[in-house]
Amino acid sequence: MLHSTAADGAGLPLAEHETLVFCTVLAAGFALRTPGGIVSRTTTGPDTTEGTDRATSRDTVRGWSLRESWLRPLSAAEVFTAYCTDADTGEPIPPEHGVDYASGLPLTPPPEPHDHR
């Protein structure tokens, strides 16, 4: 797990050890052409703008699947299904309160072919 906290508009500080582990695992997935996935969970603080009633924080969950040595964004429905299905039983579970399930953002592939065989 890679975790970081930053204020709006500030840079995102990442712990070196966790970043290296994340990059190593991702690189191994690319090189070995194995399926996998990445989930990003972003928490926004309470909206204190006058006239709003959003007094609690919200989370946004996005996901990508690793296929053919690249990350493919999941649709919002795929992210929702992944988060709202019990991994052991396959049974549906209720969504978390205060969480928005959004599609992964498209990632631009490298400009040249990247065959990791």
Side-chain angles (χ1 to χ4, degrees):
M1 179 185 302
L2 186 58
H3 180 266
S4 186
T5 303
D8 286 344
L12 189 63
L14 298 171
E16 183 177 5
H17 175 75
E18 287 87 0
T19 303
L20 289 172
V21 170
F22 174 81
C23 291
T24 300
V25 171
L26 184 59
F30 285 154
L32 298 174
R33 303 179 73 83
T34 56
I38 294 177
V39 173
S40 168
R41 185 178 194 115
T42 306
T43 302
T44 56
D47 185 350
T48 57
T49 307
E50 190 172 332
T52 63
D53 61 352
R54 203 174 111 197
T56 60
S57 64
R58 302 271 314 164
D59 286 2
T60 301
V61 176
R62 299 179 186 276
W64 296 262
S65 67
L66 177 58
R67 296 277 187 254
E68 313 246 340
S69 293
W70 197 246
L71 293 168
R72 178 187 67 82
L74 297 177
S75 69
E78 290 172 312
V79 174
F80 180 87
T81 299
Y83 260 79
C84 298
T85 304
D86 185 289
D88 293 328
T89 66
E91 294 294 316
I93 55 175
E96 292 179 64
H97 178 72
V99 174
D100 298 320
Y101 302 92
S103 58
L105 302 172
L107 302 173
T108 305
E112 55 193 62
H114 60 285
D115 189 10
H116 301 288
R117 292 183 197 192

